[in-house]
Amino acid sequence: MNKSILRKAFIFIIFLSLLFSGDLFAQTDIKQTDIKVAIIPFSLDAKQVNHQIKNRIPLMISEKLEQEGAKVILLKTWQNTEEWDFSQFRKLGIESGADYILTGSLFVAGESISIDSRLINIYEKENFTSFYADANNFENLFSTISQLCKEIIGELYHKKIITDIAITGNKRVETDAIMRIIDTQVGDIIKPDKISKDLKKIYEMGYFDNVIVKKESLDTGVKVIFEITEKSTVRKVKFKKNTVYEDEELADIVDTRTGVILNIHKLNSDINRMRLMYTVKNYHNCSVTYEIIPLEHSQADIVFNIKEGEKVKVEKITFEGNKHFSDKKIKKAMETSEKGFFSFFTSSGDLNESEVKNDIIRIESLYKNNGFIDTKVSDPIIDIGEKLITIHFKIYEGAQYKVKKIDITGDLIVPMEELLEGIQSKETELYNREYIRKDILTISDLYSNKGFANANISPLVDKNDEEKMMNITYSINKGEPVYFSRINISGNLKTRDKVIRREIKIAEQDLYSKENIQLSFKNLNRLDYFAEIDVKPVKTSDENKMDLDVRVVEKETGRFSVGGGVSSEDGGFGMLSVQERNLFGKGQTGKISATISQESVLYNIGFYEPYIMDTAISGGIQLYKEDKEYDYYDKEALGLTLRMGYKLFDYTGIGIQYNIENFDITDVQTDFTNMTPGSFLTSSIKPFIQYDSRNDIFTPTEGAKHKFSIEYAGEFLGGDIDYTKYLVETGLYFPLFWKFTGTLHAEAGYLDDRSSDDIDIDYIRFYLGGMNSIRGFDKYDINGNQEGDIKDRGGEKYVQFNAEVTLPLSEKYKIIGVFFYDRGDVYRTSEDIDLGDQFSSFGTGIRWNSPIGPLRIEYAWVIDGKNVKESGDGQFEFSVGASF
C-alpha cells in the first residue's frame, strides 16, 4: 500500500470526526434502552422555600422515566437555564453523557403547585419541547407528576398519548361493563402488549363473536376504538326426538335458556349433562347434538337433537386371575352388580362409571383385608353394546400373609398390654389393612382422651416374603399435651350461655379430650333446644392449645297447641296446651294444659328447674285435677307432685318424688269390680335411680335407659292407702345396618298391697295392653284374671318385653317408621311367672315429633291372645306422647 493511499484514508477519518463533532449532524436512531436523560435541579418560586418538594419532584420524574427503560442522570448543581441557547445545552449534554436535558421550574402558591419543564434533544438543533402540569394540592402531586412523565416519555420514544377510548358495536352489554375490565386508560402511552391483553379480557367475557382494535390519530394524541360484534341471544331452546324425558325435565338441567347470550362452551356442557341424565336411566348409547338456527336481530334458536337408543344394563361381570376368592365373593364386595330378576325396581345392573372405578378399591380392600398385601386390580374394561354391558377386571392376587408379631414403641402412657388388648390386629391371624387403620384410630383416641391431641401413630410394616409373615410395629410420638384455651359459644340468641356451658364436659385449661367433646355434643342434643349443633376444636397460634367452638342454631321451644284427635286408649279427645321448654332462656320448663276426652278430663300445671341455683340438683312441681271414667267406676282427683333429683355423674342421677292426692271413687259397678267407693287420700314417696345415655329423647339411635324405683304409700305419710310398689325398667338402643336402629326394652313390677281389707283401690294394680305395653290389646285386657273370675281386679306382678326396629323416613321432620314385637303378662301374688306362656303381638307404624308433641300411629296383630283375643286379630293404636 503506497503512502498516497494511507494519507487519503487518514484525511477521510479526520473529516468524519470533524463532521460528527460539529454543528452538522443527523438524527441518530437510538434504542429505547440507550436513551439518557440529564435532569437539572428545578428552580423554586415560593414564599417559603420547601426543599423537600424541590428535591422530591426530580426524583419522582426520575423513577417514572427509569420504569420505561431510560437512564437518568441527576445533576446536583442548579443552573439558571432561562437565557441558555442550544449550544450551552448541547455542551452540558456531552459533558454529562446525556441525549436529552430536562430542566424546569416550580411555582408554589399555598397548596397549588405549577410545574414548567423543557426537554432538549442535544442532537436536534432548536428542538425544545415544553411541558406544563398543575396540581391543586399536595395530595394530587403524585398523579400530576405521573401524567407529566407520560407526556415526556411519549416525546422521548415518539409514542402517542391515549386521549380517548371508545367502545362501538355493543347493544346489549353496557359500555361501562367493558370499560371496567380493561387496563388501558385515557392518559396512558399506547402499548401494543397492553392492548392485546385488554382484547383477550373482552373476549373472555363470553359475549362477543369478534373484537377489533382501531387507532385514530388526533392532534393531541390517539383515540383507541374497540369495535365489537356481539354474539346472538337465544330466542328458544327446543328438544327433538326425546321420549324418556319431557321437554321441561331437560330444560331444567341445561344452562342455555331463552334470553341468554349464545355460548358454545355452555352448549357442550349442556350436552354432557343430558347424556349423564340418560345414563342414570341406563340409556348409555344416547347421543345428543345441537343445531344453531340464526334469526334476525342477532337472535338464534337452539335445537338439541337426541338419539336415545335402547336401555342397557350390566349383564355380566367377569374376573381374570382370581384364585383365592370366587367370582361371587368378589361381586358381593362391589357396588356395581349384574342385572337381576327385580332390576326393574332395584338398582341392580345400573352402570355408574365412577362407582366402577371405586370398585377397584373395594376389590383390593377385600384382598388386602385378608392377607393379600400385594394385590393389584386393573382398570375395568367396560364394553357397552347395543343390548347389554359387560365389565371385566384383571386381578393379580399375590401371596397371602399372616401377622407374626405386633409391637408398640415410642411414648407409652399406658402399659403395652392395655394397648394390645384394645386393638383389632392379632398375632397369628391374617394381615388386615382395615384393622391397622382402626388400630391407629383406637390408639389416637386413647391418647387424645388423655390430652395428647397431636399424637402421631405410625404403622411400620416389615414383610418377610419367605415366611409369608408380617411384623407390625406401631410407633407412637405423643407430642406435647394439649389444653383447651377458651370455649367460644355462638348462635344462641335466646338461650343463656350458662345453659349451654353447663352441658359441656370441658372446662377452660382442661386437657384435651375427644371423648368429652363427643359427650358435650350428646348433652346439648338431648336438650332439644337446637336445630343445629356444631362442637369442634379449633387450633390457635399456640400448637399446644386449642379453643372449643360451640355453634348452635336455636329452634322453637315454646309450644301453643289447640287440637284434637282420636286415641286408642281414651277415644276422641281435645286439648289446649301452652308449654315452654326453655323458659326465659334459662333451661326451665313451664307447662299449662287441659285435655278432655270421652273418658277423662285432665288439667295440669307444672314447672321444672334442671339446675337449682346452678347446682347438680334438679326440682319440679306439678298440680293436677283429673276426672276419669274407668270401665266400672269413676274417679275424681286433685293432686300435687314434688320431685327432686341429683346428678351423680354422666347419665346417672338419683331422686325422690312425693305425691299427695285426694280422690273420690263413685258409680262403682260392684258386679264387675271390688273397687271401694268413697273419699280417700294417698300420700306416697318414691325414691329412684336412673341411667339415661340416649342420644335423642324422641328418636334415639344409640344409648341406654335404665330405671329402678320404689314407691311407698301408707298411713305413716298421712294417707289412707298403704302399699309398696317396685318397678324396674331397661332399654337398649343400637344401630343395626344402614339407617336401621334396634331397640330392646323390658319392664317388670311388683306390688305389696297392705291396705286394710275394707279398702280395695284397684287402679294401683298392674294391667297391660295399649300403646306403651302390649300393642294389639286394649288397656285393661291383660289383667291377671284367672279362669272362673267374674270381677276384674288387676295383678300384683307383671313382666313386659318389647323389641323394635326403626327407620327414619324424614330426618328433617323427625318422622320414623317402626316394626315391633311385644310380649308380656300380668300375674297374681300366688302365681309363678311363666315366660314361655305370655300374650304377644307384632306390628308396624309411624311416629312423628309434631308441633303438638310426639304422635304415634301403629297397627298390631295378635300372635298369642290366650282367652282374650284370637290369633290374627288386629287393631290400630293412637297416642300423643313419647315411646318407651
Side-chain angles (χ1 to χ4, degrees):
M1 183 178 296
N2 57 38
K3 293 182 180 180
S4 174
I5 295 175
L6 290 173
R7 186 180 300 111
K8 290 179 181 179
F10 179 74
I11 293 170
F12 181 73
I13 292 171
I14 293 174
F15 174 77
L16 289 176
S17 300
L18 291 172
L19 176 65
F20 287 103
S21 62
D23 289 337
L24 296 175
F25 56 86
Q27 182 179 351
T28 304
D29 184 15
I30 303 172
K31 294 182 180 179
Q32 178 172 321
T33 55
D34 292 336
I35 291 179
K36 301 180 182 66
V37 180
I39 301 178
I40 300 174
F42 284 24
S43 63
L44 176 65
D45 183 3
K47 290 183 179 180
Q48 186 174 358
V49 177
N50 189 328
H51 292 290
Q52 185 176 4
I53 293 178
K54 180 180 178 181
N55 297 330
R56 182 59 185 156
I57 287 179
L59 288 174
M60 292 170 67
I61 295 173
S62 172
E63 290 174 2
K64 291 290 183 181
L65 296 182
E66 286 180 341
Q67 287 176 4
E68 291 295 323
K71 183 177 179 181
V72 177
I73 302 163
L74 289 172
L75 302 178
K76 297 182 179 180
T77 305
W78 176 78
Q79 301 180 57
N80 187 357
T81 61
E82 288 185 4
E83 304 296 331
W84 280 23
D85 60 19
F86 176 74
S87 61
Q88 289 174 291
F89 284 112
R90 185 168 181 271
K91 180 180 179 182
L92 178 63
I94 293 171
E95 290 175 352
S96 61
D99 303 309
Y100 290 84
I101 301 291
L102 182 66
T103 183
S105 61
L106 306 174
F107 177 74
V108 180
E111 288 287 320
S112 299
I113 304 171
S114 297
I115 306 172
D116 275 312
S117 61
R118 288 189 300 165
L119 183 68
I120 301 94
N121 186 338
I122 67 170
Y123 297 107
E124 294 185 5
K125 189 174 183 179
E126 306 303 329
N127 189 343
F128 290 70
T129 305
S130 298
F131 303 95
Y132 177 77
D134 188 16
N136 296 328
N137 50 56
F138 291 107
E139 287 75 9
N140 294 332
L141 183 59
F142 181 81
S143 60
T144 301
I145 294 293
S146 296
Q147 184 60 36
L148 175 67
C149 290
K150 286 180 182 178
E151 295 176 9
I152 295 172
I153 292 166
E155 179 64 26
L156 287 173
Y157 298 123
H158 307 289
K159 294 184 176 180
K160 292 288 187 177
I161 302 296
I162 298 173
T163 56
D164 192 13
I165 299 174
I167 310 291
T168 63
N170 55 312
K171 298 176 182 178
R172 294 184 301 272
V173 182
E174 294 182 359
T175 299
D176 288 346
I178 302 172
M179 293 292 291
R180 279 196 296 269
I181 69 163
I182 64 176
D183 293 328
T184 302
Q185 301 292 325
V186 172
D188 289 350
I189 294 172
I190 191 166
K191 295 182 179 179
D193 58 336
K194 199 171 185 181
I195 297 290
S196 296
K197 290 179 181 178
D198 288 340
L199 193 66
K200 184 179 179 183
K201 288 182 178 180
I202 295 172
Y203 267 116
E204 287 175 348
M205 292 179 74
Y207 303 138
F208 312 112
D209 273 333
N210 195 20
V211 182
I212 298 173
V213 180
K214 294 183 177 180
K215 290 178 286 185
E216 182 181 325
S217 296
L218 304 175
D219 293 339
T220 57
V222 65
K223 180 179 181 180
V224 177
I225 304 168
F226 292 93
E227 193 173 276
I228 288 167
T229 303
E230 290 184 329
K231 289 183 177 180
S232 300
T233 55
V234 178
R235 190 189 69 166
K236 287 184 180 180
V237 179
K238 303 176 182 178
F239 304 91
K240 285 187 177 181
K241 298 181 181 179
N242 52 303
T243 59
V244 175
Y245 292 103
E246 299 290 337
D247 288 0
E248 293 77 10
E249 294 177 281
L250 295 173
D252 284 342
I253 69 160
V254 299
D255 284 340
T256 303
R257 301 175 186 278
T258 299
V260 303
I261 293 174
L262 181 61
N263 187 309
I264 301 300
H265 298 294
K266 279 188 178 181
L267 289 174
N268 291 325
S269 179
D270 291 338
I271 287 175
N272 291 332
R273 285 195 185 93
M274 282 186 278
R275 287 194 68 254
L276 182 61
M277 192 173 178
Y278 271 90
T279 60
V280 170
K281 289 194 175 182
N282 297 298
Y283 289 88
H284 296 280
N285 293 316
C286 173
S287 67
V288 183
T289 59
Y290 66 82
E291 181 184 356
I292 301 174
I293 302 176
L295 303 170
E296 294 180 349
H297 308 298
S298 298
Q299 289 187 317
D301 285 349
I302 307 300
V303 180
F304 289 103
N305 296 300
I306 302 170
K307 294 182 180 179
E308 294 177 333
E310 297 294 326
K311 181 183 290 189
V312 291
K313 284 201 170 192
V314 178
E315 296 276 356
K316 196 171 185 180
I317 300 175
T318 58
F319 307 96
E320 179 183 339
N322 57 309
K323 298 176 182 178
H324 185 83
F325 291 114
S326 65
D327 289 6
K328 184 178 180 180
K329 180 75 173 178
I330 299 174
K331 289 175 185 178
K332 283 186 177 180
M334 296 171 56
E335 184 70 23
T336 307
S337 63
E338 295 172 336
K339 177 182 176 182
F341 183 77
F342 297 103
S343 62
F344 56 90
F345 65 85
T346 69
S347 61
S348 65
D350 288 357
L351 175 64
N352 182 321
E353 294 192 18
S354 297
E355 285 299 338
V356 175
K357 291 180 180 179
N358 289 334
D359 283 332
I360 296 173
I361 300 172
R362 295 184 182 102
I363 296 170
E364 287 185 350
S365 295
L366 172 66
Y367 275 91
K368 292 182 179 181
N369 292 339
N370 285 274
F372 293 91
I373 191 172
D374 298 321
T375 295
K376 289 181 175 58
V377 180
S378 69
D379 288 337
I381 301 171
I382 303 173
D383 183 10
I384 301 176
E386 292 184 4
K387 296 184 178 180
L388 58 87
I389 301 171
T390 62
I391 304 174
H392 183 71
F393 293 92
K394 293 181 180 180
I395 300 172
Y396 168 74
E397 291 184 333
Q400 191 176 39
Y401 290 77
K402 289 186 177 182
V403 177
K404 182 177 182 180
K405 184 181 179 182
I406 299 176
D407 194 12
I408 301 178
T409 62
D411 303 323
L412 303 185
I413 61 175
V414 296
M416 184 186 297
E417 292 74 17
E418 183 178 337
L419 291 173
L420 290 173
E421 186 177 342
I423 65 177
Q424 293 191 13
S425 298
K426 303 296 179 185
E427 294 177 356
T428 73
E429 294 185 358
L430 288 174
Y431 173 84
N432 189 313
R433 188 177 63 177
E434 181 66 16
Y435 283 179
I436 291 179
R437 187 187 68 83
K438 291 180 178 179
D439 292 344
I440 294 171
L441 293 177
T442 299
I443 298 172
S444 295
D445 287 348
L446 187 148
Y447 273 70
S448 66
N449 287 331
K450 294 184 180 295
F452 296 96
N454 297 325
N456 182 33
I457 292 86
S458 302
L460 308 175
V461 180
D462 181 21
K463 184 173 69 168
N464 188 322
D465 293 330
E466 293 181 2
E467 297 181 358
K468 301 296 184 289
M469 300 293 287
M470 307 285 288
N471 292 325
I472 303 172
T473 302
Y474 295 102
S475 177
I476 302 174
N477 179 9
K478 68 179 182 180
E480 295 296 324
V482 176
Y483 295 85
F484 283 108
S485 177
R486 297 186 59 187
I487 299 175
N488 304 311
I489 299 173
S490 62
N492 52 317
L493 304 178
K494 171 185 175 182
T495 308
R496 301 190 182 189
D497 273 12
K498 73 173 185 178
V499 173
I500 298 174
R501 198 173 291 270
R502 68 195 181 193
E503 301 297 337
I504 298 173
K505 305 307 296 180
I506 290 166
E508 294 176 350
Q509 312 310 318
D510 273 1
L511 275 172
Y512 180 93
S513 172
K514 181 179 178 181
E515 183 180 5
N516 283 342
I517 293 174
Q518 295 170 339
L519 182 59
S520 300
F521 175 86
K522 185 179 290 187
N523 286 351
L524 290 172
N525 190 52
R526 282 159 52 87
L527 292 176
D528 197 37
Y529 297 164
F530 311 111
E532 295 179 21
I533 303 170
D534 186 22
V535 181
K536 64 180 180 182
V538 178
K539 291 183 178 181
T540 66
S541 56
D542 187 344
E543 64 178 11
N544 296 323
K545 287 189 176 181
M546 285 189 177
D547 288 344
L548 186 71
D549 280 3
V550 180
R551 186 188 66 83
V552 298
V553 177
E554 293 179 320
K555 66 180 181 181
E556 291 295 332
T557 54
R559 184 176 289 164
F560 174 75
S561 303
V562 178
V566 179
S567 167
S568 57
E569 296 183 357
D570 298 317
F573 68 91
M575 64 178 298
L576 172 65
S577 174
V578 179
Q579 181 184 21
E580 173 56 67
R581 295 183 292 103
N582 187 13
L583 198 61
F584 309 118
K586 295 181 178 181
Q588 301 163 337
T589 299
K591 182 178 181 180
I592 302 174
S593 67
T595 304
I596 302 174
S597 69
Q598 294 175 354
E599 297 182 354
S600 65
V601 177
L602 176 64
Y603 303 99
N604 196 328
I605 182 170
F607 176 81
Y608 175 71
E609 167 60 74
Y611 290 87
I612 297 176
M613 299 181 69
D614 295 326
T615 67
I617 299 173
S618 62
I621 181 172
Q622 182 180 6
L623 179 66
Y624 62 90
K625 184 179 187 306
E626 181 183 34
D627 296 338
K628 185 172 180 62
E629 295 180 4
Y630 289 85
D631 288 346
Y632 306 120
Y633 57 89
D634 296 340
K635 174 191 174 187
E636 294 184 11
L638 179 65
L640 174 69
T641 301
L642 301 175
R643 175 173 174 158
M644 182 170 289
Y646 179 77
K647 190 173 184 179
L648 290 175
F649 32 83
D650 293 334
Y651 308 135
T652 304
I654 59 173
I656 189 167
Q657 179 176 298
Y658 173 74
N659 175 256
I660 183 169
E661 181 182 273
N662 186 35
F663 63 94
D664 295 324
I665 302 297
T666 60
D667 296 334
V668 177
Q669 300 180 34
T670 56
D671 292 340
F672 301 102
T673 180
N674 292 322
M675 188 71 176
T676 305
S679 296
F680 304 94
L681 180 70
T682 299
S683 179
S684 68
I685 189 169
K686 180 168 72 173
F688 62 88
I689 182 170
Q690 178 173 297
Y691 174 89
D692 190 351
S693 63
R694 293 175 296 171
N695 61 346
D696 190 277
I697 300 300
F698 301 107
T699 56
T701 57
E702 63 179 9
K705 179 184 178 182
H706 313 300
K707 185 175 182 180
F708 175 70
S709 66
I710 301 174
E711 182 181 7
Y712 171 77
E715 296 179 1
F716 173 75
L717 296 175
D720 302 316
I721 315 301
D722 192 355
Y723 65 85
T724 303
K725 185 181 288 188
Y726 303 87
L727 295 174
V728 62
E729 178 185 4
T730 183
L732 298 174
Y733 306 84
F734 47 90
L736 293 173
F737 59 92
W738 193 45
K739 296 182 179 181
F740 286 95
T741 298
T743 301
L744 294 177
H745 174 264
E747 290 182 22
Y750 175 74
L751 173 67
D752 179 13
D753 188 357
R754 298 182 302 274
S755 299
S756 59
D757 295 338
D758 57 344
I759 297 178
D760 191 328
I761 305 300
D762 183 64
Y763 67 82
I764 66 171
R765 296 192 181 95
F766 298 120
Y767 294 86
L768 290 180
M771 182 62 86
N772 288 315
S773 57
I774 313 299
R775 284 157 282 195
F777 297 88
D778 291 332
K779 189 171 183 180
Y780 302 106
D781 278 352
I782 306 173
N783 49 37
N785 279 6
Q786 299 175 352
E787 188 175 350
D789 286 345
I790 298 175
K791 298 181 179 181
D792 291 340
R793 62 180 299 276
E796 288 76 31
K797 295 182 289 187
Y798 85 99
V799 176
Q800 169 187 331
F801 302 99
N802 309 95
E804 293 185 347
V805 175
T806 58
L807 171 69
L809 304 178
S810 171
E811 296 182 3
K812 179 179 179 180
Y813 297 106
K814 286 195 172 183
I815 300 175
I816 63 173
V818 59
F819 303 93
F820 60 84
Y821 170 77
D822 298 336
R823 186 179 185 87
D825 207 344
V826 174
Y827 306 91
R828 299 283 178 86
T829 303
S830 58
E831 284 185 278
D832 293 330
I833 296 175
D834 184 358
L835 298 179
D837 182 21
Q838 293 183 319
F839 293 85
S840 58
S841 65
F842 75 100
T844 185
I846 293 177
R847 295 172 185 169
W848 173 34
N849 187 17
S850 74
I852 64 170
L855 295 180
R856 300 171 61 191
I857 303 175
E858 296 167 14
Y859 190 88
W861 291 271
V862 173
I863 297 175
D864 188 347
K866 293 191 176 182
N867 58 344
V868 176
K869 285 194 173 184
E870 297 291 332
S871 296
D873 287 350
Q875 68 180 39
F876 277 103
E877 306 284 354
F878 308 91
S879 78
V880 180
S883 56
F884 309 113

